[in-house]
Amino acid sequence: MELENLWKECLDIIKDNVNEKAFSTWFKPIVPIKYEGSDLTIQVPSHFFYEYIEEHFAHLIYATLTRITNKNTTIYYRVFVDNSDEKKGHTTIQSDRTILSGNELKKTAVQIAKAPDLLTSTQEWYTHLNDHLNFRNFYEGESNRLARRVGETIGEQPGKTFNPLFIYGNTGVGKTHLCHAIGNLIQERHPENKVIYISSHLFQLQFTDASRNNTANDFINFYQGVDALIIDDIQEFVGKEKTQNAYFHIFNHLKLLGKQLILTSDKLPMDLQGIEERMITRMKSGMTAELGNPDFDLRKQILHNRAKLDDLTLTEEMIDYIAERVTEHVRDLEGIITSLIAQSVLCNREIDFDLVRRVVDQFIKPKKTPAVISDAIQPTVSSFFNIEIKEMHSQSRKQEMVKARQIAMYFYKKYTNYSYAYIGYLVGKRDHATVLHAVRTIQDLIEVDKSFRSTMDEIDTLLKK
């Protein structure tokens, strides 16, 4: 199928499933680049654009492409960055997504242009802020009231109160949304301020690139020149001593000048093992605010507003059913709405209670067994395979070592709320990509290998004793 016809058919279906504003904002700017075999490359205008599409519309795009082509399609996102005076380079990041249609695991190769050179004086200022994430659609409830009001205060008077602000909470409770909302409010009230939102991962990539090019001092000087610095997922700095050192100097400089600092993490500062004590002390020196899992009323409010935004009709009974069962992540609530739209249209059926029930079942994980003491995981695994923990931590590529290492990582992910970065730090200072690969490898083996599944059950039983 020709590229233009494929993308036009895709857009025709998507247009019927999202409201006009969402279609204009998130789909019109996409430019199809090429379609070869089962690989579709599309260009999007920014990294945040890519992240938003992946989070909110990827399932709809995949389901639409599957319907049109009758085959699995791999999407390559090319994120465009205008470095007119610089040589362009590319970094490839690979992410996996579970597609609701058929429950197939898709591998999406994401091709992202090299991070913009923030050090050039001629480059237009780039905040990395997503205008669509603001306080107007960050709905207030008991679980986020304090953090939201602190954020609004900072937006009105950055650097004056609550500095630094440390936001913590589980994955999917709205930390990133709140960061963007604060940054956008600062920009609205103080347009002269230089505000930057950046993920810890991208910050680390930029610092590594600067170090490789002997421009680390310029990198630090640049970030010391901002008025508000927002760093998301600071736990990704675990074990990254050089990155921590660079951020330490930036933090001290900005704090001394009264500039606003905002950080997020999945745990409290004192629980960030692998982060230098001097950094933890500074994180604790300001305001610490928790974002908890949304309560029932807030979950209903989110569902009502998201359904209204997408022109989706849900009865009060359906809203209550979803809100009662999906209790942890805001993203799950939004994902359910997207899935209802996709399955309803692509399957040509009305949204009824049975469809709602089936979609909700896909998002609810079985109740976990009582928490396993994390300290027991590595000793149990090493004892089972009759190897030393230090051997598991080594760089050995022997099959038994690799397998034991991956199994330990899998159980950490299953029984703890640790980030991939922290799990990697615990198991021999591996990076988060290694842990992600390990967890998925073990999950795949459990599904297809009966003998291996039996081995995992034995280890699981030992952990529960």
Side-chain angles (χ1 to χ4, degrees):
M1 183 177 293
E2 292 183 3
L3 174 64
E4 292 184 2
N5 290 337
L6 171 64
W7 190 241
K8 183 179 182 301
E9 284 190 42
C10 187
L11 291 182
D12 286 343
I13 294 175
I14 291 172
K15 191 172 184 178
D16 291 333
N17 290 280
V18 299
N19 62 44
E20 184 177 348
K21 182 179 179 182
F23 182 81
S24 176
T25 302
W26 298 107
F27 291 96
K28 281 189 176 180
I30 296 176
V31 178
I33 301 297
K34 64 179 178 180
Y35 179 59
E36 295 178 350
S38 61
D39 296 340
L40 173 65
T41 301
I42 57 177
Q43 180 171 286
V44 294
S46 71
H47 183 73
F48 287 117
F49 196 105
Y50 148 67
E51 290 182 335
Y52 194 90
I53 288 288
E54 272 287 278
E55 182 175 342
H56 296 281
F57 298 115
H59 291 297
L60 178 58
I61 294 175
Y62 274 118
T64 303
L65 287 170
T66 301
R67 176 182 176 182
I68 295 172
T69 64
N70 290 318
K71 60 183 178 181
N72 296 339
T73 302
T74 301
I75 297 179
Y76 291 83
Y77 295 85
R78 173 162 292 178
V79 179
F80 176 74
V81 177
D82 186 9
N83 273 341
S84 55
D85 296 326
E86 298 290 330
K87 194 180 206 179
K88 293 184 181 179
H90 294 87
T91 300
T92 299
I93 300 174
Q94 191 170 23
S95 64
D96 292 344
R97 297 188 63 85
T98 301
I99 305 309
L100 296 178
S101 178
N103 292 322
E104 297 171 329
L105 190 66
K106 302 282 190 179
K107 291 187 176 180
T108 305
V110 182
Q111 192 173 34
I112 298 179
K114 182 180 179 182
D117 181 4
L118 297 173
L119 311 177
T120 58
S121 59
T122 58
Q123 185 176 347
E124 183 179 353
W125 185 260
Y126 184 46
T127 68
H128 293 249
L129 289 171
N130 185 333
D131 295 340
H132 296 273
L133 300 178
N134 51 58
F135 282 110
R136 291 183 294 279
N137 52 29
F138 186 83
Y139 307 112
E140 182 176 318
E142 190 63 36
S143 60
N144 64 21
R145 183 168 291 117
L146 174 62
R148 177 194 167 94
R149 294 185 181 181
V150 167
E152 288 177 314
T153 301
I154 289 174
E156 297 289 348
Q157 294 184 310
K160 304 298 183 184
T161 57
F162 309 124
N163 194 23
L165 170 62
F166 189 95
I167 306 166
Y168 74 99
N170 295 329
T171 298
V173 295
K175 298 188 297 293
T176 297
H177 189 151
L178 181 56
C179 282
H180 285 278
I182 296 171
N184 283 318
L185 185 56
I186 293 174
Q187 290 258 281
E188 181 182 330
R189 297 290 192 266
H190 308 275
E192 74 285 357
N193 279 11
K194 291 181 177 179
V195 181
I196 282 189
Y197 163 90
I198 189 166
S199 68
S200 293
H201 178 67
L202 183 55
F203 182 91
Q204 184 185 327
L205 287 178
Q206 290 181 355
F207 174 70
T208 301
D209 191 49
S211 299
R212 189 179 296 118
N213 294 324
N214 295 317
T215 58
N217 287 336
D218 292 334
F219 171 87
I220 292 172
N221 289 337
F222 168 78
Y223 277 103
Q224 287 179 339
V226 304
D227 296 296
L229 178 59
I230 306 169
I231 300 229
D232 207 357
D233 291 326
I234 200 73
Q235 73 272 4
E236 296 292 339
F237 284 176
V238 166
K240 310 295 182 183
E241 295 178 3
K242 292 182 179 179
T243 305
Q244 289 182 38
N245 187 57
Y247 180 67
F248 175 78
H249 292 298
I250 293 167
F251 184 105
N252 278 349
H253 184 85
L254 294 179
K255 186 68 166 64
L256 184 64
L257 294 179
K259 306 300 184 181
Q260 183 66 51
L261 291 142
I262 300 171
L263 308 96
T264 78
S265 174
D266 58 359
K267 55 178 64 68
L268 284 162
M270 65 187 72
D271 295 329
L272 289 170
Q273 298 182 39
I275 298 289
E276 293 181 8
E277 184 61 33
R278 60 178 182 169
M279 276 188 62
I280 292 176
T281 300
R282 282 157 178 78
M283 292 175 196
K284 292 161 56 179
S285 65
M287 175 69 188
T288 299
E290 180 182 12
L291 280 183
N293 293 335
D295 57 35
F296 179 72
D297 289 338
L298 180 55
R299 296 196 297 271
K300 286 189 63 175
Q301 185 182 358
I302 292 169
L303 288 167
H304 275 297
N305 283 281
R306 182 60 198 272
K308 181 179 180 181
L309 181 66
D310 290 327
D311 296 325
L312 182 67
T313 302
L314 295 177
T315 66
E316 197 65 27
E317 184 184 18
M318 294 175 183
I319 293 284
D320 286 344
Y321 181 85
I322 299 170
E324 285 171 357
R325 285 158 179 77
V326 183
T327 61
E328 295 184 0
H329 301 154
V330 173
R331 288 176 188 157
D332 286 349
L333 297 173
E334 295 175 339
I336 285 173
I337 298 296
T338 301
S339 299
L340 284 172
I341 294 171
Q343 295 207 21
S344 171
V345 171
L346 298 179
C347 298
N348 265 336
R349 61 170 294 177
E350 300 244 342
I351 295 179
D352 55 20
F353 201 85
D354 180 59
L355 179 60
V356 170
R357 185 182 294 109
R358 288 197 295 109
V359 169
V360 169
D361 286 345
Q362 292 173 328
F363 279 80
I364 297 178
K365 294 180 180 179
K367 293 290 183 183
K368 289 186 178 180
T369 55
V372 175
I373 299 175
S374 63
D375 289 345
I377 290 176
Q378 292 193 65
T380 301
V381 173
S382 63
S383 175
F384 185 88
F385 289 103
N386 196 27
I387 61 176
E388 298 289 334
I389 291 179
K390 64 181 180 181
E391 292 180 296
M392 212 158 51
H393 288 188
S394 72
Q395 298 302 315
S396 172
R397 300 301 301 166
K398 290 182 180 179
Q399 186 175 358
E400 61 269 25
M401 299 299 176
V402 173
K403 192 61 64 184
R405 198 180 297 139
Q406 291 178 334
I407 289 172
M409 293 175 179
Y410 169 84
F411 281 118
Y412 272 123
K413 195 60 188 173
K414 180 177 180 179
Y415 287 116
T416 75
N417 290 321
Y418 295 160
S419 68
Y420 287 117
Y422 185 51
I423 294 172
Y425 177 79
L426 291 175
V427 189
K429 296 185 177 180
R430 264 72 186 181
D431 60 30
H432 77 283
T434 301
V435 180
L436 187 62
H437 172 73
V439 172
R440 287 171 178 160
T441 297
I442 298 302
Q443 288 172 338
D444 290 344
L445 285 172
I446 290 172
E447 289 182 6
V448 301
D449 189 327
K450 184 177 180 181
S451 175
F452 182 77
R453 186 162 58 246
S454 177
T455 296
M456 292 297 289
D457 288 341
E458 287 184 55
I459 300 173
D460 212 344
T461 299
L462 291 173
L463 287 170
K464 293 173 186 175
K465 286 185 177 179

